[in-house]
């Protein structure tokens, strides 16, 4: 399991920029200023504003999640397999295999869900977007000019005034000495200590109802597992009959079946992923819209953004999945 965990961590690190971009595009409101639009343009913006750290924001906890997730999924599947074959059957039939896969997936999601939620919060905290209804995190030109004028007045009013007498926030706005990512985090109520795995976890527990706050959106996530497993299996079986007929079962044909089946299942169940992210960040400071549940979130998204709002971030997600499969098959 250790080599597999290391390989999984490596592949997730490579696609970390796309994964973070997907999360940002999923939760950014349509009416917010400075939206992340386009894959390459958004990645360039992320690099310009935050550098390499921006690409890796939240990747540490995402890699940390691999080992417990895989261990719980494998163990649960094996135990379910033993349970279903207890009465003499040597192999699982299709319904039992689907049930085992879905239950194993749900169990592993529940066991590691707090890590996934914290990862989403870390990915969003320093992004230079305003969450729904929140004021823009980056100071406007009028604010900057007024801050510059205030700084000049302080200097002119007292010739002997030292630099230490000027408020730090004024000098930051006047001379642009602070990082845009830290400005965005500070505007949303996050300190530098909060931008760590432990700091973000403690902040969520302290401000959002304890451990319960770490499981926001769990039901929506679990509900999306079973359809994904079922659609993926059905699509693979159908494509296998078309792409890999008898006598034509080369490696690239089998890989194509898996890739296409994964793309179809991810696309059809993608709204569950959008709802999960929306629920995960609904308690963040900086956003005025709060969802009462998954159905309320679904209705609100469709009302304000249409059905297209349920597919925000799909393109970087598909590119990320393609790169992940390419890295996995190259090992």
């Amino acid at each position: 399991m250790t080599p597999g965990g290391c390989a999984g961590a490596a592949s997730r690190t490579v696609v970390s920029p796309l994964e973070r971009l997907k999360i940002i595009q999923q939760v950014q409101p349509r009416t917010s200023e400075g939206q992340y639009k386009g894959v390459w343009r958004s990645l360039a913006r992320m690099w310009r504003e935050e550098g390499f750290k921006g690409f890796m924001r939240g990747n540490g906890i995402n890699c940390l999640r691999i080992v417990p997730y895989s261990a719980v999924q494998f163990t649960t599947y094996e135990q379910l397999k033993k349970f279903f074959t207890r009465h003499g059957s040597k192999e699982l039939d299709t319904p039992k295999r689907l049930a085992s896969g879905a239950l194993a997936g749900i169990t592993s999601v529940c066991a590691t869900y707090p890590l996934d939620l914290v990862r989403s919060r870390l990915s969003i905290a320093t992004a230079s977007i305003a969450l729904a209804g929140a004021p823009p995190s980056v100071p406007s030109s009028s604010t900057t000019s007024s801050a510059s004028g205030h700084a000049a007045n302080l200097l002119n009013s007292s010739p002997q005034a030292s630099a230490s007498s000027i408020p730090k926030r004024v000098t930051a706005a006047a001379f642009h000495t602070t990082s845009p990512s830290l400005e965005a985090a500070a505007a949303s109520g996050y300190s530098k200590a909060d931008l760590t795995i432990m700091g973000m976890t403690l902040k969520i527990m302290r401000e959002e109802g304890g451990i319960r706050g770490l499981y926001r959106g769990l039901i929506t996530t679990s509900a999306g597992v079973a359809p994904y497993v079922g659609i993926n299996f059905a699509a693979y079986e159908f494509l296998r009959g078309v792409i890999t007929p008898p006598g034509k079962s080369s490696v690239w044909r089998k890989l194509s079946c898996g890739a296409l089946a994964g793309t179809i299942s991810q696309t059809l169940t993608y709204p569950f992923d959008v709802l999960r992210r929306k629920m995960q960040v609904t308690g963040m400071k900086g956003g005025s819209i709060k969802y009462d549940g998954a159905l309320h979130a679904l209705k609100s998204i469709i009302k304000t953004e249409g059905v297209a709002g349920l597919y925000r971030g799909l393109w970087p997600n598909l590119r990320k999945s393609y790169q992940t499969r390419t890295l996995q098959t190259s090992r």
Side-chain angles (χ1 to χ4, degrees):
M1 185 173 292
T2 301
C6 293
S11 63
R12 294 195 182 194
T13 300
V14 172
V15 300
S16 177
L18 290 171
E19 175 67 18
R20 188 189 177 209
L21 176 59
K22 180 198 75 170
I23 296 175
I24 292 175
Q25 290 186 344
Q26 284 177 330
V27 302
Q28 67 179 1
R30 184 183 61 177
T31 56
S32 66
E33 298 180 0
Q35 291 190 62
Y36 285 74
K37 295 182 178 180
V39 175
W40 301 115
R41 184 169 55 177
S42 297
L43 291 176
R45 172 183 170 181
M46 196 182 298
W47 175 269
R48 185 173 60 253
E49 293 180 350
E50 302 183 58
F52 183 73
K53 285 185 178 180
F55 283 172
M56 295 295 110
R57 185 74 66 185
N59 183 60
I61 193 170
N62 196 31
C63 294
L64 184 66
R65 180 171 170 258
I66 293 176
V67 175
Y69 183 92
S70 301
V72 172
Q73 187 178 42
F74 177 79
T75 303
T76 304
Y77 185 83
E78 289 300 315
Q79 293 300 317
L80 289 171
K81 184 178 179 180
K82 291 180 181 179
F83 173 79
F84 285 128
T85 57
R86 183 181 301 173
H87 302 290
S89 57
K90 296 182 179 180
E91 295 183 0
L92 295 178
D93 55 20
T94 299
K96 291 180 180 178
R97 189 181 302 114
L98 288 174
S100 298
L103 290 173
I106 293 173
T107 304
S108 56
V109 164
C110 293
T112 61
Y113 191 78
L115 297 177
D116 185 53
L117 185 141
V118 173
R119 187 264 159 84
S120 297
R121 296 294 185 90
L122 289 173
S123 298
I124 296 299
T126 59
S128 58
I129 57 170
L131 293 180
S137 58
V138 180
S140 62
S141 58
S142 60
T143 303
T144 303
S145 60
S146 62
S148 302
H150 182 49
N153 291 335
L154 286 174
L155 288 173
N156 294 331
S157 62
S158 176
Q160 296 178 351
S162 62
S164 60
S165 65
I166 304 175
K168 292 181 179 180
R169 294 182 66 180
V170 174
T171 57
F175 303 108
H176 307 283
T177 57
T178 56
S179 167
S181 62
L182 293 180
E183 285 183 358
S188 300
Y190 293 94
S191 64
K192 189 174 181 180
D194 294 331
L195 300 179
T196 62
I197 297 175
M198 185 58 66
M200 184 63 72
T201 303
L202 294 176
K203 183 177 179 66
I204 295 171
M205 294 178 63
R206 184 172 61 250
E207 298 180 356
E208 301 180 33
I211 296 178
R212 182 181 179 182
L214 296 173
Y215 286 90
R216 191 186 301 273
L218 175 62
I219 296 178
T220 305
T221 305
S222 300
V225 174
Y228 175 83
V229 173
I231 294 173
N232 189 50
F233 182 84
Y236 182 81
E237 289 298 317
F238 172 77
L239 292 170
R240 189 175 66 172
V242 176
I243 300 177
T244 60
K248 295 182 179 180
S249 57
S250 60
V251 175
W252 76 267
R253 286 176 177 268
K254 293 181 180 179
L255 293 177
S256 298
C257 284
L260 289 173
T263 300
I264 293 172
S265 56
Q266 282 191 12
T267 302
L268 293 179
T269 60
Y270 190 74
F272 285 101
D273 194 43
V274 173
L275 289 174
R276 170 178 62 158
R277 300 300 180 189
K278 292 282 191 179
M279 293 298 297
Q280 285 179 343
V281 303
T282 187
M284 290 183 71
K285 288 186 175 181
S288 62
I289 296 180
K290 309 297 181 183
Y291 298 119
D292 297 329
L295 290 179
H296 179 220
L298 178 62
K299 293 177 181 178
S300 299
I301 294 171
I302 295 178
K303 182 178 180 180
T304 57
E305 304 181 41
V307 178
L310 297 173
Y311 287 89
R312 283 183 168 273
L314 177 61
W315 181 237
N317 181 65
L318 294 178
R319 292 188 66 89
K320 178 207 70 173
S321 300
Y322 172 77
Q323 290 188 10
T324 301
R325 292 191 185 94
T326 302
L327 291 169
Q328 289 175 345
T329 55
S330 63
R331 293 199 298 264

